[in-house]
Amino acid sequence: MPNSKRLFLRSKKVIPSGINSPVRYYDPYPFFVKKAQGSSLWDVDGNRYFDFCNGYGALLLGHRKKEIISSVLSQMRKGTLYCAPTELEVELSELISKNFPSMQKVRLVNTGSEATMTAIRLARGFTKKKKIIKFEGCYHGAHDYVLVKAGSGAAHIGISVSDGSLEEVSKNTLVAQYNNSENLASILEKEKDVAAVIVEPVLANMGLVPPEKNFLSDIKKITSENDSLLIFDEVVTGFRVSTGGAQKSYSVVPDITTLGKALGNGFVIAAVGGKSKIMDMLSPEGNVYQASTYAGNPISVSAALASVKTMNKNKANLYPKLEKACKAMVSAIGDLASDMNIPHQINSVSSMFQIFFTAKRVVDYSTAKASDVAKFKKLFKSLLNNGVFVAPSQFETIFLSYAHTDEDIKKTIIAYEKALKTVKE
Ligand SMILES: Cc1ncc(COP(=O)(O)O)c(C=O)c1O
């Protein structure tokens, strides 16, 4: 019996469903990881995989980037948790603020979920309004404010996607269509009690869906005309599409920003920031509560400092190299699928892409959902059997890292060719 199967059977006895986050499960059982380095993961059965899941986008620089590991090792010798402030936190917040000028003040937290929860509470505290609007298909973490899908029919009142969530909470989250600013405007025309609109500026949780021209600038205009705040959830896009995130690439300035993933390049850290007058609402000076034992812990902060410094130092080469590699993959995979007469769409932005098996352009939730997920499953299985690990869902994104070599990309394209043949069968 493969070691992964043995571990999965053992795991199921003590861990619900055998995994610690739902998307990690796939049929019949996931591979269990032994180690990672650079562009690759190795499982407990000795198989190597080129990693295009990359911590769901976190590992922009690849696994075990030297600069980050040595910064963390050096900090470990000085202590791991102080629960008292450090100069490192000040330095990191200054750096974040420099990279993201809209984040005049920054609170460091641990996860993306914590960051969006704090951003929304801040928006409510600042505006004294109750409701929020999210876009269908965007993911902002696993808490009740945002774990909401569109209600039935034309209703925009959110309903929870999870048992155990309170209807009283989810009904205050309204749902609009991504890439449809008119839909947002019409909701805001009726609903006057909206504290904030939260959006993934590039949608990376429904496959990959780029913002259409003017979508982001339009929603910025609409929110400010309606005295609602605009929250850019840049947990995925921050540092991935540029060192200043999507707000820099698309030249749209939000009121509040959340960061995570690539900020720590594999270490647990996230951030929420925005205009000083909003951020100053946070306790203890303000009355919006946010707290965490591990927030700003020196291990995560030293990792993030090394990570941001490395991305800033290498940006002239890093982003063009990633974009070039991504374009090469997208064009080769697209050509292969076209040659095999497989109806498909590929969306890509910067170092992210996803293939959808559908003949129609994918621009929002319903067009993404129209794609043939059975075909994606075949693709995923075959890629895995050929040493390429992508997130095991159509509605996730392929992430490249700086550690992928030209040779890795070449071999991955060959694996896609084999996988597309199984899709065709
Ligand atoms: C855009 C976005 N926001 C927030 C989150 C939640 O982050 P975390 O899983 O660190 O809580 C995610 C996670 O995938 C995300 O993609």
Side-chain angles (χ1 to χ4, degrees):
M1 183 191 294
N3 291 326
S4 281
K5 183 172 182 181
R6 188 176 42 73
L7 278 173
F8 183 65
L9 295 175
R10 192 172 137 205
S11 178
K12 274 188 59 148
K13 291 186 185 148
V14 284
I15 299 177
S17 306
I19 36 81
N20 274 311
S21 196
V23 78
R24 289 180 203 169
Y25 175 76
Y26 49 85
D27 195 34
Y29 55 87
F31 68 82
F32 277 60
V33 178
K34 185 160 189 192
K35 63 169 187 178
Q37 175 63 49
S39 65
S40 300
L41 292 168
W42 282 263
D43 73 11
V44 287
D45 292 293
N47 301 305
R48 177 186 180 174
Y49 305 90
F50 293 127
D51 187 5
F52 287 90
C53 176
N54 265 312
Y56 290 87
L59 295 150
L60 182 81
L61 297 169
H63 293 277
R64 282 162 64 191
K65 183 73 178 163
K66 192 176 75 233
E67 290 85 341
I68 301 174
I69 298 299
S70 54
S71 173
V72 167
L73 287 177
S74 135
Q75 177 56 44
M76 277 172 76
R77 288 184 207 104
K78 298 180 205 152
T80 56
L81 183 66
Y82 308 137
C83 288
T86 60
E87 185 173 349
L88 292 175
E89 289 160 87
V90 184
E91 197 190 339
L92 178 60
S93 303
E94 285 169 349
L95 254 184
I96 292 175
S97 203
K98 208 164 162 202
N99 278 40
F100 291 75
S102 75
M103 299 174 79
Q104 292 170 344
K105 284 194 177 174
V106 182
R107 267 272 164 100
L108 300 174
V109 293
N110 304 291
T111 65
S113 298
E114 231 183 300
T116 60
M117 185 182 72
T118 305
I120 291 167
R121 187 176 294 154
L122 258 173
R124 287 183 166 136
F126 183 76
T127 60
K128 307 282 184 274
K129 296 183 183 186
K130 195 166 171 184
K131 295 180 179 169
I132 60 155
I133 300 179
K134 77 178 281 283
F135 292 93
E136 200 174 19
C138 285
Y139 178 73
H140 304 292
H143 57 88
D144 287 6
Y145 295 169
V146 287
L147 215 53
V148 158
K149 64 177 176 183
S152 59
H156 53 259
I157 309 288
I159 53 169
S160 173
V161 298
S162 170
D163 283 0
S165 287
L166 290 175
E167 188 196 327
E168 289 83 345
V169 176
S170 50
K171 75 176 187 203
N172 286 307
T173 300
L174 313 177
V175 183
Q177 273 170 2
Y178 195 76
N179 272 332
N180 186 344
S181 52
E182 283 171 14
N183 180 237
L184 177 69
S186 76
I187 295 174
L188 277 168
E189 211 169 279
K190 285 181 231 124
E191 299 279 354
K192 292 298 159 208
D193 199 17
V194 175
V197 172
I198 184 166
V199 66
E200 283 184 76
V202 177
L203 210 176
N205 283 287
M206 203 169 63
L208 187 79
V209 181
E212 302 261 77
K213 195 164 179 275
N214 298 333
F215 174 64
L216 297 173
S217 53
D218 285 350
I219 65 173
K220 164 77 187 175
K221 191 162 166 271
I222 294 165
T223 46
S224 58
E225 282 169 0
N226 286 277
D227 298 321
S228 298
L229 299 183
L230 180 62
I231 303 170
F232 265 17
D233 179 356
E234 297 227 39
V235 165
V236 169
T237 52
F239 296 104
R240 180 157 277 278
V241 298
S242 83
T243 48
Q247 53 198 266
K248 185 173 179 198
S249 306
Y250 294 92
S251 303
V252 176
V253 181
D255 299 295
I256 304 178
T257 298
T258 56
L259 301 173
K261 304 218 188 225
L263 172 64
N265 261 278
F267 284 81
V268 182
I269 188 162
V272 52
K275 292 183 178 136
S276 298
K277 64 179 181 191
I278 300 174
M279 295 306 293
D280 285 339
M281 302 284 299
L282 283 176
S283 55
E285 280 185 28
N287 286 327
V288 175
Y289 198 69
Q290 173 277 330
S292 162
T293 303
Y294 282 95
N297 76 77
I299 297 297
S300 295
V301 172
S302 64
L305 262 177
S307 150
V308 176
K309 284 181 185 168
T310 306
M311 292 184 288
N312 280 346
K313 188 170 149 213
N314 292 289
K315 69 179 176 192
N317 180 46
L318 171 64
Y319 295 96
K321 183 192 162 206
L322 280 168
E323 208 155 310
K324 192 170 157 225
C326 187
K327 278 201 173 122
M329 282 183 80
V330 166
S331 131
I333 295 165
D335 286 350
L336 288 165
S338 297
D339 290 348
M340 293 182 211
N341 287 321
I342 301 171
H344 71 280
Q345 306 290 318
I346 305 183
N347 284 346
S348 78
V349 173
S350 194
S351 54
M352 309 178 275
F353 77 92
Q354 185 56 291
I355 185 165
F356 300 87
F357 296 106
T358 170
K360 269 198 174 161
R361 219 159 69 83
V362 175
V363 294
D364 59 12
Y365 181 79
S366 57
T367 46
K369 281 284 175 184
S371 57
D372 186 336
V373 290
K375 286 187 174 153
F376 186 86
K377 262 192 181 166
K378 283 187 180 173
L379 182 90
F380 169 75
K381 278 253 154 80
S382 172
L383 285 174
L384 203 60
N385 290 336
N386 286 289
V388 172
F389 178 54
V390 301
S393 162
Q394 169 71 82
F395 304 108
E396 298 289 347
T397 288
I398 313 300
F399 293 100
L400 278 78
S401 88
Y402 200 34
H404 287 117
T405 63
D406 290 347
E407 196 56 30
D408 297 344
I409 302 285
K410 233 196 245 168
K411 287 182 178 161
T412 302
I413 292 170
I414 294 169
Y416 263 93
E417 181 170 13
K418 291 182 185 156
L420 285 167
K421 281 182 185 155
T422 68
V423 169
K424 180 74 184 158
E425 278 162 11

